[in-house]
Amino acid sequence: MMPPQAFPVFFTSFVVLGLSGVFYAAWRGDKKRNAAMETVARTMGFSYIEKCSDAELGSLAGNMPLFNRGHSRKGKRLLTGRIADRDCHIMDYQYITGGGKSSHTHMQTIVLLDQTGTKLPDFTLSPENVLHRLAEMFGYQDIDFESHPDFSKHYLLRGKDEAAIRQAFTLDVLSLMGATTGWHVEACDGRLAIYREGRFNEPGQTPSYAAEALRVAGAFKT
């Protein structure tokens, strides 16, 4: 039987070993993803940077709301190239909200595209949830379209220039987005960020993921 005085030492050692295992697994998973994404970049003819510096992240982020949320923001595995004659950046991005036991890490693989042609008004489009619907009752902005109830049910659309946003959301955009769920789209300062939140995209799905994002961007006819 273990002496009582030895239990704290044993328990501490057990915790340290457990945490070491968790960190090692995370480190190994990160290394594996780095290698996979670098291979994807070569296949797509894109350049690859494993870690974005603060300056690089700031240059890409601009004033987009996504990049100003939370804290401990990190941009990783940046792929840069062109798709359908459009400058394109694909990046794993994460940030943390809250702190301590209530902290939450938000992860997403973002497709950043420069707008072409007519500049879109700034807006944010995100999946709508029950809390948003409750907030609407107290004046929280959500731009809805009576002609496309599926779109209005699935998405929360916000922005300062509502008239310009309504003009930008043509029948093509409303029909496309109304037939799908889960996308986030932000337009800001001549750039579009398109992504699904919750996890990083599988490396092998990166080309098709980028193609889907390009399809969304193309609906806006910018």
Side-chain angles (χ1 to χ4, degrees):
M1 181 178 293
M2 183 186 301
Q5 62 272 22
F7 181 77
V9 175
F10 172 80
F11 180 75
T12 300
S13 299
F14 179 79
V15 171
V16 170
L17 286 172
L19 289 175
S20 297
V22 170
F23 288 132
Y24 175 75
W27 174 83
R28 186 174 180 180
D30 212 46
K31 294 285 285 185
K32 184 177 179 181
R33 183 171 179 83
N34 289 344
M37 290 297 281
E38 186 171 10
T39 298
V40 169
R42 287 198 301 269
T43 301
M44 295 177 68
F46 279 33
S47 64
Y48 177 78
I49 297 176
E50 189 172 300
K51 293 182 180 180
C52 290
S53 66
D54 290 342
E56 288 167 333
L57 186 58
S59 175
L60 290 170
N63 294 315
M64 281 192 168
L66 167 65
F67 295 97
N68 290 304
R69 295 181 192 135
H71 58 90
S72 304
R73 307 174 187 116
K74 294 180 181 178
K76 300 184 287 186
R77 295 176 281 272
L78 172 64
L79 286 69
T80 301
R82 290 179 67 81
I83 297 180
D85 294 326
R86 298 180 73 152
D87 290 334
C88 177
H89 306 274
I90 304 169
M91 173 177 58
D92 286 345
Y93 177 71
Q94 68 183 57
Y95 63 93
I96 297 174
T97 53
K101 293 182 179 180
S102 62
S103 67
H104 178 70
T105 301
H106 301 259
M107 298 184 294
Q108 45 271 305
T109 300
I110 306 165
V111 179
L112 283 164
L113 295 163
D114 288 340
Q115 296 179 29
T116 59
T118 303
K119 182 181 174 182
L120 293 170
D122 291 355
F123 67 81
T124 60
L125 179 75
S126 59
E128 186 170 329
N129 59 42
V130 175
L131 292 178
H132 293 146
R133 297 185 189 108
L134 289 174
E136 283 182 59
M137 298 172 61
F138 297 94
Y140 190 75
Q141 184 194 33
D142 181 15
I143 303 172
D144 287 330
F145 293 81
E146 292 184 4
S147 61
H148 288 74
D150 286 341
F151 170 86
S152 298
K153 178 182 178 181
H154 294 162
Y155 289 102
L156 175 74
L157 176 60
R158 294 169 54 81
K160 291 182 179 180
D161 193 341
E162 181 171 338
I165 291 170
R166 286 187 175 277
Q167 187 174 2
F169 275 73
T170 62
L171 294 179
D172 287 345
V173 175
L174 295 171
S175 296
L176 174 64
M177 301 307 295
T180 187
T181 58
W183 284 106
H184 293 253
V185 183
E186 294 186 8
C188 182
D189 295 337
R191 181 166 289 177
L192 281 169
I194 304 172
Y195 61 97
R196 291 181 180 273
E197 188 182 41
R199 63 181 178 84
F200 295 144
N201 196 59
E202 289 296 324
Q205 296 174 357
T206 301
S208 60
Y209 184 73
E212 285 188 76
L214 185 65
R215 185 178 174 218
V216 172
F220 286 98
K221 293 181 173 59
T222 60

